Amino acid sequence: MPASSSASALSDPAWMRRLLIATALAFLALFLLLPLVAVFAEALRRGVGAYWTALVDEDALEAIKLTLIVAAIAVPANLVFGVAASWCVAKFDFYGKNLLITLIDLPFSVSPVISGLIYVLLFGLNGAIGPFLKAQGIQIIFAVPGLVLATIFVTFPFVARELIPLMQEQGTEEEEAALVLGAGGWQTFWRVTLPNIKWGLLYGVLLCNARAMGEFGAVSVVSGHIRGYTNTMPLHVEILYNEYNFVAAFAVASVLAMLALVTLVAKSALEWRFGAELAATRHK
Amino acid sequence: MVATSSADVAFPEKGSAVTSILKKPSVLPGFGLTLGFTLSYLGVIVLLPLGALIAKASGLGWYGFWGAVLTPRVFAAFEVSFGLSLAAAAVNAVFGFIVAWVLVRYEFPGKRLVDALVDLPFALPTAVAGIALSALYAPNGWVGKPLNELFGLKVAFTPIGIAIALTFVGLPFVVRTVQPILQELPPEEEEAAVSLGATRGQTFWQVVFPAVLPALVTGFALSFARGVGEYGSVIFIAGNMPGLTEILPLLIVIKLEQYDYAGAAAVGASMLLVSFVMLLILNILQHWMRSRHAR
């Protein structure tokens, strides 16, 4: 009798378990699953033919190409930054380190629209150095460089914040051993550090890439919405939607939704397979 | 494990007063290179542009700044953005806690799939979420139609629609902050409470809940902060009526489109300021709760 009473006080009664599971699943189905299903349902509303026509449309293909170009510049840039930042933050102890970590995380707490706005204020025609750049024939706002800069800003912390806790947990012992055994600095990094952080690095790059390809607010402010020239996929979705071309808008959106699903699958696979190696990252 | 001991080796003077002023000595190379690169990149990408925002806003002068911010339209947008973000964060705190609880404590088929699905709002581009929610909750949509016909409730193009979009984007913040804390809660504490004669309800409210509360507040704050700045998922479902369903980020975009750069900078700077103050208050609140729980 005491055993059963303590067991019941340690676990919830069956009716409550069922109620809570049902509540959680219903909430997730309504708020997360249904919008996802709606994207594909709306995209295929007029059949596969209309869906395909919308995807191979010239402007849509240009938007896909531009999205890939922007991500191909922004993600490697933040990858290099993330590795450099986490090396100096995690492997050394110095004055002002916490401030540096806070500043690295700063772009996450800035609204995407403000992230775009700041570049317009800096590089726009009425901006701080916009007129000077214009005189040199360099255009940043309403052009591809602006899209890249705004994307770099919003994805700035992703790689660094995955790597910093991971590298802090790993410490410096292995690198010191390599150095003592006569390895050079770069050799130590490539042969010792990189193998230790590769899954965390991949995890950060994955999240960084998903955000880079999907970013809307920041690039919307700097792009000027010039079709076929400064239109990334999310911006193209907006234009099509505002033109009441819903099938085409949802068709392009469905490609982005598939990207999100691939990201989630890859991310979950990394967590399940290398959960222990990512532990520092996931339980911060 | 090894990490702590190696840190002692790397920084032998840790804890002692005799240290170099800026950096503790280390045998590892690359400090100057990586710190130099980090600071330059941070300066060019983040600090310089944010400085341009502050400069532009302060260029207005004290009266010019408040003159641009304290207009009825900006004020209404503040109310819409902050009020609805609070509402959405509150909904997320309740349901996010239930989702985290269910994922940690119970077993059910498809649990891993559900766990992975929680991150969908992180991965799904906001514009995609925006048009999907708008289609669902429109008066002829899958959810909007029955709500309208059965209850006469209009969701799309009303503040409720904005709150739904903000709930969508904020949910993973609560779940992902509460989940690891719930996971690492030592079962001994609950066992001790039960062996001392506590009921299940007492154990939950007096042992489990206070331990999770700081994480729940963090999740609430993150969800709230995300909601205030959110743009893509909101503008399609909002209707964007000035004074009623116009959010702050949209107002910035509108000001930019009217070439009112100084006005946009003023609204942007005031938005950053208010978010910063609210997060500071929440941080203090959280610190207070943590110290109270520790006692």
Side-chain angles (χ1 to χ4, degrees), chain A residues 203-216:
Chain A
Y203 192 89
V205 166
L206 203 60
L207 300 183
C208 182
N209 181 61
R211 181 68 194 269
M213 290 189 172
E215 177 52 28
F216 175 70

Side-chain angles (χ1 to χ4, degrees), chain A residues 26-265:
Chain A
F27 183 81
L28 293 177
L30 180 65
F31 275 87
L32 302 189
L33 199 57
L34 208 52
L36 188 63
V37 174
V39 172
F40 293 100
E42 293 286 333
L44 294 168
R45 180 176 280 239
R46 296 269 149 75
V48 180
Y51 177 76
W52 187 250
T53 312
L55 279 189
V56 295
D57 172 75
E58 199 181 325
D59 288 335
L61 289 177
E62 278 299 316
I64 293 174
K65 201 173 112 192
L66 184 59
T67 300
L68 293 175
I69 292 173
V70 169
I73 303 171
V75 176
N78 280 337
L79 166 81
V80 172
F81 162 74
V83 172
S86 46
W87 178 267
C88 77
V89 165
K91 301 289 180 189
F92 300 94
D93 225 359
F94 57 94
Y95 189 76
K97 187 153 117 176
N98 286 330
L99 178 67
L100 182 60
I101 296 177
T102 308
L103 288 178
I104 289 173
D105 269 345
L106 194 62
F108 271 164
S109 39
V110 173
S111 165
V113 167
I114 297 182
S115 312
L117 169 70
I118 56 178
Y119 288 104
V120 173
L121 293 177
L122 193 62
F123 297 121
L125 270 186
N126 296 314
I129 48 177
F132 169 75
L133 291 175
K134 172 87 177 170
Q136 317 296 314
I138 301 170
Q139 193 180 3
I140 291 184
I141 299 306
F142 305 144
V144 177
L147 298 175
V148 172
L149 280 172
T151 305
I152 290 182
F153 183 94
V154 293
T155 57
F156 189 85
F158 276 104
V159 176
R161 73 159 15 192
E162 293 302 328
L163 287 187
I164 288 173
L166 184 64
M167 282 168 74
Q168 271 174 336
E169 195 189 65
Q170 285 170 352
T172 54
E173 206 170 54
E174 291 186 29
E175 282 82 5
E176 281 158 16
L179 290 166
V180 166
L181 293 171
W186 287 106
Q187 214 177 0
T188 306
F189 174 75
W190 287 109
R191 299 256 182 99
V192 177
T193 310
L194 198 60
N196 276 339
I197 61 169
K198 60 178 187 280
W199 299 117
L201 189 64
L202 188 60
Y203 192 89
V205 166
L206 203 60
L207 300 183
C208 182
N209 181 61
R211 181 68 194 269
M213 290 189 172
E215 177 52 28
F216 175 70
V219 292
S220 160
V221 172
V222 295
S223 107
H225 299 89
I226 308 164
R227 260 191 195 222
Y229 181 54
T230 59
N231 236 7
T232 62
M233 284 164 80
L235 297 176
H236 196 55
V237 168
E238 183 197 21
I239 288 187
L240 293 169
Y241 190 84
N242 288 342
E243 287 171 346
Y244 301 103
N245 192 350
F246 294 132
V247 168
F250 279 101
V252 179
S254 74
V255 178
L256 288 167
M258 278 187 270
L259 168 75
L261 288 178
V262 169
T263 304
L264 282 187
V265 168

Side-chain angles (χ1 to χ4, degrees), chain A residues 9 12 78 95 111 119 169 267, chain B residues 3 22 41 45 106 119 200 229:
Chain A
D12 303 318
N78 280 337
Y95 189 76
S111 165
Y119 288 104
E169 195 189 65
K267 178 176 163 297
Chain B
L22 290 178
Y41 192 78
I45 299 289
Y106 305 150
D119 280 331
R200 180 68 191 147

Side-chain angles (χ1 to χ4, degrees), chain B residues 48-88:
Chain B
L48 182 69
L50 277 176
L53 172 74
I54 308 294
K56 189 79 183 177
S58 52
L60 281 167
W62 181 258
Y63 293 105
F65 178 80
W66 291 113
V69 172
L70 293 176
T71 66
R73 190 171 178 186
V74 176
F75 215 75
F78 258 94
E79 266 180 358
V80 170
S81 275
F82 282 85
L84 293 174
S85 298
L86 274 178

Side-chain angles (χ1 to χ4, degrees), chain B residues 30-190:
Chain B
F31 177 73
L33 178 71
T34 53
L35 184 69
F37 178 70
T38 301
L39 291 180
S40 330
Y41 192 78
L42 182 74
V44 171
I45 299 289
V46 179
L47 301 182
L48 182 69
L50 277 176
L53 172 74
I54 308 294
K56 189 79 183 177
S58 52
L60 281 167
W62 181 258
Y63 293 105
F65 178 80
W66 291 113
V69 172
L70 293 176
T71 66
R73 190 171 178 186
V74 176
F75 215 75
F78 258 94
E79 266 180 358
V80 170
S81 275
F82 282 85
L84 293 174
S85 298
L86 274 178
V91 171
N92 278 334
V94 173
F95 287 96
F97 184 85
I98 295 176
V99 170
W101 180 265
V102 163
L103 286 177
V104 172
R105 293 294 172 110
Y106 305 150
E107 290 303 325
F108 55 93
K111 186 167 134 171
R112 276 185 158 188
L113 202 63
V114 173
D115 196 11
L117 182 71
V118 168
D119 280 331
L120 181 72
F122 282 159
L124 193 69
T126 54
V128 177
I131 62 169
L133 289 171
S134 183
L136 278 178
Y137 288 93
N140 60 352
W142 292 352
V143 187
K145 194 172 181 182
L147 281 180
N148 198 4
E149 280 169 2
L150 295 178
F151 308 105
L153 191 67
K154 286 198 172 66
V155 176
F157 320 124
T158 72
I160 306 173
I162 301 179
I164 285 180
L166 296 180
T167 307
F168 174 86
V169 296
L171 178 70
F173 288 99
V174 175
V175 179
R176 292 302 183 227
T177 340
V178 169
Q179 204 177 6
I181 303 298
L182 218 45
Q183 217 138 32
E184 281 157 25
L185 214 61
E188 291 84 4
E189 288 190 14
E190 281 169 75

